[in-house]
Amino acid sequence: MKSPLVVFDLDGTLIDTAPDLIASLNHTIASLDLAPVNYENLTHLVGHGAQAMIERACRLRGHPLESGDLPPLLQRFIAFYTDTMPGDSKPFPGIVNAMDALKAAGFGLAVCTNKLEKLAVTLIERLNLTHYFDVITGGDTFTVRKPDAQHLIGTIERAGGTLSRTVMVGDSANDILVAHNAGVPSIAVPFGYSDVGVETLGPSRVITHYDELTPDLVRGLLAA
């Protein structure tokens, strides 16, 4: 029997990246002479990719983008974010200890994020967390992205896991939906970047701290 697999979202789940994403966004829109935005303006878009944040920030500042405007802005965002990461981004409290315990119990770990794969891999490398994960997939790894089930299914396949022995951990609707669409249990964390209470999204379980993410919890969800 294959080892159980725990798949994590990245932004707002594994890593608190909001300060650096907002700083990179404000650097980007400064090129348009737009006033900075803050986290409260974009809570529900942090973790959904740079493009969505750039478009929303520009609309907020009364500067809707034309079709050809986005590529250079996206390049500016990626360049600044890559150059400055990890910046103030850091793992959420308890996650490293939780992953140590899961690995020691024989679990596989993976990342499934809508962040561009290169940015996700670079961030995880610079935080010295790469060795925890069997695979890291991003929003451009496949032809689809969360909440499409095939993003999670493809991640599980690359990690050598099986659907029947996988649990998804995330902080937003996309994470809970992709788990539902793929038919796997989900664990939601309330300290991430969702604009609604995660308990309203229908996860299998909500945990408030990674001290609760134990091998026994995952086994129980897989046995349910």
Side-chain angles (χ1 to χ4, degrees):
M1 182 181 292
K2 290 189 176 182
S3 299
L5 179 68
V6 180
V7 181
F8 294 92
D9 172 53
L10 183 59
D11 298 272
T13 299
L14 276 175
I15 311 297
D16 184 6
T17 53
D20 297 293
L21 292 172
I22 297 298
S24 299
L25 177 62
N26 284 329
H27 172 80
T28 301
I29 66 173
S31 67
L32 302 173
D33 292 324
L34 301 182
V37 296
N38 58 40
Y39 174 72
E40 286 68 31
N41 297 139
L42 296 166
T43 304
H44 65 295
L45 288 179
V46 172
H48 288 248
Q51 178 173 321
M53 289 197 301
I54 293 168
E55 290 173 335
R56 172 63 174 163
C58 288
R59 285 198 300 272
L60 279 173
R61 293 295 176 252
H63 188 91
L65 297 176
E66 303 293 333
S67 59
D69 295 340
L70 189 60
L73 292 172
L74 189 57
Q75 288 176 2
R76 181 179 172 89
F77 179 99
I78 291 170
F80 183 86
Y81 185 52
T82 302
D83 288 346
T84 57
M85 70 168 59
D88 292 326
S89 296
K90 57 184 180 294
F92 282 103
I95 183 59
V96 171
N97 287 340
M99 293 194 297
D100 283 335
L102 291 168
K103 294 285 279 187
F107 287 54
L109 305 178
V111 171
C112 178
T113 174
N114 279 348
K115 199 184 203 78
L116 294 173
E117 181 183 326
K118 181 179 179 181
L119 294 181
V121 169
T122 301
L123 177 61
I124 290 168
E125 285 177 346
R126 292 186 186 175
L127 289 169
N128 298 314
L129 298 174
T130 306
H131 62 284
Y132 283 103
F133 303 110
D134 300 314
V135 68
I136 299 165
T137 68
D140 57 339
T141 302
F142 306 107
T143 57
V144 296
R145 61 192 304 190
K146 294 183 298 184
D148 192 299
Q150 290 302 317
H151 189 176
L152 179 54
I153 291 168
T155 302
I156 294 166
E157 290 173 349
R158 288 194 179 194
T162 60
L163 277 172
S164 63
R165 294 188 46 85
T166 296
V167 170
M168 177 76 199
V169 183
D171 70 303
S172 72
N174 276 345
D175 304 317
I176 307 309
L177 276 172
V178 77
H180 175 78
N181 292 341
V184 306
S186 58
I187 297 172
V189 295
F191 42 73
Y193 308 145
S194 176
D195 61 336
V196 299
V198 292
E199 69 281 353
T200 69
L201 301 175
S204 308
R205 182 72 178 266
V206 176
I207 61 172
T208 59
H209 191 283
Y210 277 120
D211 289 349
E212 300 173 60
L213 182 59
T214 63
D216 284 344
L217 172 62
V218 177
R219 292 188 191 104
L221 289 174
L222 293 176

